[in-house]
Amino acid sequence: MSAASARPAATGGVWWPGDDPGQRQFVTLFADESLKLEGNDSIGPITVAYETWGRPSPTRDNAVLVEHALTGDSHAAGPAGVGHGTP
């Protein structure tokens, strides 16, 4: 069974390890110490995918953070292409 056929049916634009990353970049959070939650549970490590466009201004006041469901696609803008099946 291939990795693609083992995926859940409703994956939308979700990226999977082994897929072309396209313009995505990745950061791992809580790798050294888990994030403690209110109910005494914890989570971590978590890998977050993100994209950037342009360059920061000298005063770094031109950034916009777009957040969505954690299961959503990190491709927030631009055309479909390699690694990004939807615009």
Side-chain angles (χ1 to χ4, degrees), residues 8 11-12 18 20 24-25 28 30 32 38 40 42-43 47 54 57 68 72 75:
T11 60
D20 189 310
R24 291 171 184 85
Q25 298 177 59
T28 300
F30 312 113
D32 297 330
E38 286 183 9
N40 292 326
S42 61
I43 57 174
T47 300
S57 68
H68 55 79
H75 186 55

Side-chain angles (χ1 to χ4, degrees), residues 12-15 19-22 24 51 73 75 78-87:
V14 175
W15 178 88
D19 291 349
D20 189 310
R24 291 171 184 85
E51 287 186 305
D73 187 358
H75 186 55
V82 176
H84 303 289
T86 58

Side-chain angles (χ1 to χ4, degrees), residues 24-30 45-51 70 74:
R24 291 171 184 85
Q25 298 177 59
F26 301 90
V27 63
T28 300
L29 306 173
F30 312 113
I46 300 169
T47 300
V48 176
Y50 65 95
E51 287 186 305
L70 291 176
S74 62

